[in-house]
Amino acid sequence: MRVSEGSRRIHERALRRKGNEVSMKTRIVGTGSCLPETVVTNDDLSKIMDTSDEWISSRTGIKARHLAKEETTASMSIKAAKRAIENAGVAVEEIDLIILGTVSADYVTPSCACEVQAAIGAVNAVAFDINAACSGFMFALNISNAYIQAGLCKTALILGAETLSKVVDWGDRSTCVLFGDGAGAAVVRGDEKYGLLAFDQGSDGTKAEVLACPGRTNNNPLIQTDQRLKFVHMDGQEVYKFAVTTVPASLQKTIQAAGLTPEEIDYFALHQANIRILQSVSKRLHIPEDKFPVSLDHCGNISAASVPILLDEMNRRGLLKTGMKVALSGFGGGLTWASAVIEW
Ligand code: UT7
């Protein structure tokens, strides 16, 4: 069997780790993000469809979103990645894993992660995309943790990036007003003191239809197909019910597994779908709303990119101090969900 240079390196690292009992936590050491230049307010939307700032703001908390014109999923990912690497102060050659969560990559192949790898010159990295919808960044965090704990990698770049404006149905006002475009990234590596304390992750494929976006239909010569493009469709109320029950339960489980109580958590950085979901989770956990930072007001829902963009905004505003306890949670299509508790 031919063994590639990359797999040989990973295998050797795993072997070297055997006998090395140092327990490392997976720590976020840098963050970065990128939003498209063009901002579209609710009032702007109300000029091109039957909606209003009053409806969108009061039902969701969203006031504006950034929509891509020149930008692509890869170009935003590359900018976010460079900012995260600079913020982390690591050399790009140290990055040995790139995982990118997205449902709106520019290509079916190559992966967006491979495009990022090439653009930033991460020559020592293994790179691949994952699809876990709005939980994509959280799933990437957990996979990078598994690689680090197994000794398969030392420094990972994880991203969530979306150009949702190309997959939403601009004729469906009940979904298109909710979503935006952007990318967020984080550099993670092993640390002896701080980092990931606990994780919870789940999927329920039986509820796939409540939030879905069909892919390409088969177009081979044997089949007559309907070639119309198909877009995101969502049963908003079902997704809402799922979010307000599953997210607090998952957070509670994760916080308990970390040996903490909800009161001991400094911030809850959750997927930014709807302000009412954040308020409901805060109520169910008996935690004041000011511990739930918000970016959905100016970004809308950016699926996999929501959590890393929010984290980057918190980081750059100086909210996150060493040792602070931060609970993260992503939830959405699949259905999927994932929560983590980290010591910053
Ligand atoms: O990231 C994945 C996670 N996604 C979520 O978490 C989304 C969760 N769901 C939600 O946030 C909410 O269900 C929505 C914000 C999507 C919708 O809120 P809702 O209170 O469930 O509204 P609805 O769908 O029941 O619609 C209520 C009314 C309807 O009119 P009628 O039938 O009562 O006359 C809609 O036609 O609002 C109408 N409507 C709109 N009106 C103005 C729907 N969209 C719009 C709009 N502007 N954009």
Side-chain angles (χ1 to χ4, degrees):
M1 190 180 74
R2 261 186 87 236
V3 179
S4 74
E5 183 59 20
S7 4
R8 191 180 57 73
R9 267 200 314 266
I10 285 175
H11 187 60
E12 282 175 1
R13 251 178 248 144
L15 286 177
R16 274 204 300 276
R17 189 172 157 84
K18 283 193 175 174
N20 168 7
E21 293 305 319
V22 178
S23 135
M24 288 283 196
K25 289 177 187 159
T26 298
R27 185 178 189 190
I28 294 177
V29 294
T31 61
S33 61
C34 172
L35 293 168
E37 266 187 24
T38 308
V39 176
V40 177
T41 64
N42 294 344
D43 284 333
D44 293 333
L45 289 182
S46 71
K47 290 178 193 134
I48 54 170
M49 65 183 75
D50 182 15
T51 190
S52 64
D53 176 49
E54 201 284 324
W55 192 95
I56 304 171
S57 302
S58 63
R59 302 257 174 170
T60 69
I62 297 166
K63 295 185 188 316
R65 72 287 295 139
H66 293 246
L67 297 185
K69 281 164 91 178
E70 300 297 320
E71 300 88 351
T72 63
T73 306
S75 74
M76 294 186 285
S77 301
I78 291 160
K79 281 194 178 147
K82 286 181 176 168
R83 288 170 186 159
I85 292 164
E86 192 188 353
N87 184 241
V90 299
V92 75
E93 295 77 17
E94 290 179 77
I95 294 167
D96 44 11
L97 178 67
I98 301 175
I99 311 175
L100 188 148
T102 187
V103 294
S104 51
D106 304 316
Y107 293 92
V108 173
T109 189
S111 67
C112 192
C114 279
E115 291 191 84
V116 172
Q117 180 203 18
I120 65 174
V123 289
N124 296 313
V126 173
F128 56 90
D129 288 357
I130 56 159
N131 177 342
C134 308
S135 315
F137 175 80
M138 296 300 297
F139 275 42
L141 174 62
N142 202 22
I143 298 168
S144 71
N145 177 50
Y147 268 71
I148 289 170
Q149 297 310 317
L152 298 178
C153 100
K154 281 193 171 146
T155 306
L157 172 67
I158 54 173
L159 304 100
E162 305 286 7
T163 313
L164 295 176
S165 60
K166 69 184 176 191
V167 295
V168 299
D169 181 350
W170 286 96
D172 174 10
R173 66 176 181 169
S174 70
T175 52
C176 69
V177 302
L178 306 173
F179 297 102
D181 302 331
V187 175
V188 297
R189 61 194 331 188
D191 187 278
E192 283 175 30
K193 202 160 176 200
Y194 300 107
L196 188 61
L197 299 178
F199 210 96
D200 175 53
Q201 203 174 356
S203 311
D204 180 2
T206 65
K207 304 265 170 55
E209 275 309 306
V210 303
L211 175 45
C213 179
R216 290 179 174 204
T217 46
N218 195 338
N219 192 30
N220 78 37
L222 308 177
I223 306 170
Q224 289 250 302
T225 51
D226 175 358
Q227 282 304 304
R228 276 176 305 178
L229 282 173
K230 299 199 174 70
F231 298 102
V232 168
H233 59 88
M234 176 169 77
D235 181 337
Q237 287 179 6
E238 279 306 310
V239 179
Y240 188 89
K241 276 188 249 164
F242 150 74
V244 297
T245 51
T246 308
V247 175
S250 171
L251 279 167
Q252 248 155 348
K253 191 170 155 189
T254 317
I255 293 165
Q256 195 175 7
L260 298 167
T261 62
E263 294 72 30
E264 290 175 285
I265 301 294
D266 296 290
Y267 286 111
F268 292 79
L270 308 192
H271 170 50
Q272 301 285 298
N274 187 322
I275 194 79
R276 291 188 298 156
I277 294 176
L278 304 184
Q279 288 163 345
S280 169
V281 175
S282 108
K283 212 179 217 171
R284 283 180 196 233
L285 296 181
H286 306 291
I287 297 299
E289 276 177 40
D290 60 7
K291 283 194 173 187
F292 290 72
V294 174
S295 61
L296 62 83
D297 54 344
H298 62 275
C299 292
N301 177 345
I302 322 180
S303 190
S306 279
V307 171
I309 289 173
L310 179 67
L311 265 186
D312 187 47
E313 289 188 358
M314 293 167 69
N315 193 16
R316 283 169 202 270
R317 280 167 58 200
L319 295 184
L320 299 167
K321 312 270 185 244
T322 301
M324 267 188 172
K325 315 283 188 293
V326 185
L328 312 174
S329 194
F331 52 90
L335 296 172
T336 56
W337 63 94
S339 303
V341 172
I342 55 177
E343 251 180 328
W344 189 255

